[in-house]
Amino acid sequence: MNGRVLDVNQRKVWVLQNGSGAPLLYLHGFADVHGVKESWMPFHERLAERASVIAPAHPGCAQTDENNDIDTIDDVVFHYLEVLDALKLTEFDLVGSCVGGWIAAEIAARHPEKIRKLVLIGATGLFVEGALIGDVFMMAQPEYGSSYASLREMLFSGANQADALNMFPDGKGELDDELRRYQMLRFGSRIGFKPPYFYNRPLRNRLHRISSPALIIWGEKDSMVPRTHGETYVRLLPNAQPLKIIDGAGHSVHAEQPETTAKIVLDFLAG
Amino acid sequence: MKPVQLFCWHFMAYPYLNKDFDQKQYSGWVTVPNSLWDNHKARGLYQEYIDQLAYADELGFDGMVLNEHHQNIYGLMPSPNLIAAALTQRTTRGKIVILGNLLPLHMNPMRVAEEYAMLDQMSNGRLIAGFAPGGGPETFNYDVPSANTREKFWEAADLIVRSWTEDGPFAHEGRYFPLRYVNLWPKPLQKPFPPVWIPGSRSASTMAEVAKRGYCYFLSSRSHGGETHRAQQEFAAVLEKHGDRYHPFRFGILMSTYVAETDQRAREECEEGVWYFLKNCLKGHLRREGRQLTYGPGVPYIPAAAWREYLKGYTPGRKLLGDVENWDELDASQSIIVGSPETVTRRIQSLIEKAKVGNLLIQFQLGNMPDHLARKSMKLFAAKVAPVLREESVKVFDKQFAGVDLEPAVEAVH
């Protein structure tokens, strides 16, 4: 693990970097590096075999400073523009999962010229009438005193899926993991609680600006972000591949099927 | 020193649930289906509850307490200010305590400043103004983002008090509620402003903010073991740090009681209401059954460092008040004190003495307790318990706080 602290406009940003090759910026979600895990998961390690993977932790997540001035997704986008400046990244592949996918789409809509190729995995961000994104905050409140089964069910293909149990165990997990989960929810609540949940209405009318090739990946059994959101991204992004469904996976496809998902991403980036 | 202040708190529970509610329903909060509301049965319910509060005033309680809840069966007061307005016209002497308006749920804090000022005028200076940030359930009720709730809350509270005390119009250059023209009409009657009470659950930062402003701290816990005493000590220490001194009227607690002629009769009469309250009203709030909305990582309103501290002392699956399984366990929690006047007096006296607390906010009507029993208990309490508590508390406080001056009581200007 190569972690370092980046100084961004006098705030600390925690960044992991691994591998060599073309730069790939990875923006994390819940069941993810920084969202739960301190270090890389197999998915990111596969990517790092062919790319230089750079994964900053969102404001308030892992060791990145919290920023009380973040009220909306626009503030997050501006934060990342500053991160890109600090990393001296001008053109790169952008991969985002869940909330990270939303942030990726927002960055790409503002600065399409910076994005070589875009990959969104189970991305939130869109308002699709009649298909609300699931309430991860309520699911994160324990049932029967200590059960996070319904949170696991929302984020994975099932409450008893092995990765789900590993990342979101019942009761009290390892303190540092618990804390990272909490930080991610706290960050998420800033941008994703009002309106409910995790969308920015104007985004869909801005996607037409993103001319770079785009790949949208969805878990077959995503219980958090309805598949119609993936279909909408595909329809509105001018240069998107057909929606790629990962059979058997839930919302966190990169956690549940790292090999398959990484191969699809790498093939797309290489093609 | 003045005697302990005894307030009657009414939550206004929905009392018409079927016996199978707990078995069939997942929660009493936020998502509890409102198809359970029965208009036929509920007609006149608010009248009954308001009458009980007016009765408390007649019986000589020092005040009546209301608070704000949304979308639940625990408390049917989305707007306690409406009930308070009714009480201004039905009562003449007791304080009207609203504990409180949930400031982050209001789009503009000036609305609270205005309504409280109106209530202070309408009640002839009897308002005690409570401000609360709201908890887990309210976060979901009104989609209040958690991370900045506390900051927003204190900005709103300070703006309200400033609007009561400073002549307008002035501009408020706030982070969350910037306003160009703050110019309150009417002003509150009490000078410099109505007493402010803030509830908390032992967080050091809330205590510090309360101490900084000289307000009264109210412990929102429903159980009273050693933690109540510790909360008092912590708050006293925080006051000292701010160059202030603790006295019993800087602190308040919530408790419930039922009084009848004998211990046995008290238990028999109140048991149905008590279990209804514990198993139905607390489901979703202070029960581990179903989904508990009050605390948890889904309402991340404290900073990560504070959450780390919380986790260290947290035992997953631990019993909450509503999880008690039998009467002895309930009794040990010192949450609901049930018995003859002698028993209740003795137990509350010991609580006052240990927790050095001067404001007792007492819930009499519990769950589906019928009107006649709630009134009977209140009457017996007022006749047999209150006089002893008042007399004895003066002696206790005089001994515990010899030489401590109460700040001059805030008097209404007439």
Side-chain angles (χ1 to χ4, degrees), chain A residues 68 141 143-144 150 172 182, chain B residues 26 175 288 293 302 311:
Chain A
N68 279 327
Q141 296 290 81
E143 283 179 296
Y144 308 101
S150 53
K172 188 153 72 169
Y182 182 83
Chain B
Y26 183 65
R175 160 79 165 82
R288 58 186 175 186
L293 295 177
I302 57 176
L311 278 180

Side-chain angles (χ1 to χ4, degrees), chain A residues 68 71 137-145 150 171-172 175-176 178-179 182 185-186 189-190 193-194 196-197, chain B residues 26 139-140 142-143 145-147 151 175 288 290-293 295-298 300-302 307-308 311 314 316-317:
Chain A
N68 279 327
D71 288 334
F137 299 103
M138 188 174 271
M139 296 305 118
Q141 296 290 81
E143 283 179 296
Y144 308 101
S150 53
K172 188 153 72 169
L175 192 63
D176 289 330
E178 286 270 357
L179 206 67
Y182 182 83
L185 283 160
R186 193 167 150 88
S189 95
R190 291 182 186 275
F193 208 94
K194 196 180 189 80
Y197 296 97
Chain B
Y26 183 65
T139 301
F140 293 105
Y142 271 47
D143 275 315
S146 299
E151 268 180 53
R175 160 79 165 82
R288 58 186 175 186
R291 190 188 301 282
Q292 185 273 114
L293 295 177
Y295 309 103
Y301 58 81
I302 57 176
W307 183 253
R308 179 184 277 273
L311 278 180
Y314 163 70

Side-chain angles (χ1 to χ4, degrees), chain B residues 117-378:
Chain B
M118 285 176 72
L119 288 169
D120 202 38
Q121 293 289 346
M122 289 163 70
S123 66
N124 204 19
R126 289 187 287 139
L127 177 74
I128 292 179
F131 304 132
E138 293 78 24
T139 301
F140 293 105
N141 290 140
Y142 271 47
D143 275 315
V144 180
S146 299
N148 56 17
T149 302
R150 295 299 145 119
E151 268 180 53
K152 239 176 137 164
F153 168 75
W154 283 111
E155 183 186 323
D158 290 344
L159 171 59
I160 292 167
V161 172
R162 188 179 168 204
S163 78
W164 286 342
T165 49
E166 197 173 307
D167 289 334
F170 63 82
H172 172 65
E173 299 173 57
R175 160 79 165 82
Y176 297 102
F177 306 104
L179 287 165
R180 195 179 286 274
Y181 307 110
V182 179
N183 192 25
L184 201 75
W185 288 82
K187 285 185 171 183
L189 184 62
Q190 296 176 83
K191 294 296 163 204
F193 57 91
V196 172
W197 289 13
I198 308 275
S201 45
R202 286 183 67 205
S203 113
S205 72
T206 302
M207 283 187 184
E209 298 294 334
V210 170
K212 218 189 283 177
R213 294 165 175 82
Y215 300 157
C216 172
Y217 182 76
F218 161 79
L219 184 69
S220 53
S221 166
R222 275 188 166 273
S223 305
H224 297 294
E227 301 226 333
T228 307
H229 169 53
R230 275 198 293 282
Q232 182 275 327
Q233 286 181 319
E234 285 159 5
F235 185 53
V238 172
L239 285 175
E240 298 250 333
K241 230 169 79 186
H242 285 82
D244 205 343
R245 268 196 85 177
Y246 178 86
H247 64 69
F249 305 99
R250 298 297 296 271
F251 186 47
I253 61 169
L254 157 63
M255 50 171 291
S256 308
T257 193
Y258 188 83
V259 195
E261 292 74 5
T262 65
D263 286 351
Q264 195 194 337
R265 192 158 171 199
R267 180 173 163 181
E268 282 166 12
E269 286 177 355
C270 78
E271 212 162 355
E272 189 189 340
V274 165
W275 289 114
Y276 184 106
F277 172 76
L278 293 172
K279 297 302 170 189
N280 298 343
C281 299
L282 295 187
K283 193 171 194 180
H285 171 40
L286 292 176
R287 272 189 81 185
R288 58 186 175 186
E289 281 303 300
R291 190 188 301 282
Q292 185 273 114
L293 295 177
T294 300
Y295 309 103
V299 284
Y301 58 81
I302 57 176
W307 183 253
R308 179 184 277 273
E309 289 310 304
Y310 170 82
L311 278 180
K312 282 183 190 162
Y314 163 70
T315 315
R318 67 170 170 206
K319 273 189 183 175
L320 301 171
L321 175 61
D323 296 313
V324 295
E325 283 159 44
N326 55 55
W327 195 263
D328 288 342
E329 255 183 69
L330 174 65
D331 209 43
S333 75
Q334 300 199 57
S335 174
I336 306 176
I337 295 174
V338 175
S340 66
E342 295 71 34
T343 302
V344 170
T345 305
R346 178 172 44 78
R347 295 188 64 180
I348 297 181
Q349 242 177 319
S350 131
L351 189 59
I352 294 172
E353 199 168 337
K354 268 191 223 140
K356 302 182 168 68
V357 56
N359 296 304
L360 294 190
L361 282 48
I362 310 169
Q363 175 184 20
F364 287 89
Q365 197 277 344
L366 282 146
N368 63 348
M369 183 180 287
D371 183 58
H372 72 277
L373 290 181
R375 283 172 175 259
K376 176 167 160 283
S377 165
M378 286 161 65

Side-chain angles (χ1 to χ4, degrees), chain B residues 399-411:
Chain B
K399 208 160 70 192
Q400 285 175 336
F401 296 94
V404 177
D405 284 331
L406 297 184
E407 68 242 295
V410 178
E411 291 294 343

Side-chain angles (χ1 to χ4, degrees), chain A residues 149-192:
Chain A
S150 53
L151 179 63
R152 293 195 296 271
E153 202 157 310
M154 176 165 280
L155 294 176
F156 294 84
S157 56
N160 296 318
Q161 202 275 347
D163 303 286
L165 287 165
N166 170 273
M167 295 176 98
F168 298 89
D170 290 334
K172 188 153 72 169
E174 202 270 309
L175 192 63
D176 289 330
D177 285 1
E178 286 270 357
L179 206 67
R180 275 188 293 272
R181 283 204 291 270
Y182 182 83
Q183 290 172 299
M184 180 59 196
L185 283 160
R186 193 167 150 88
F187 166 70
S189 95
R190 291 182 186 275
I191 55 169

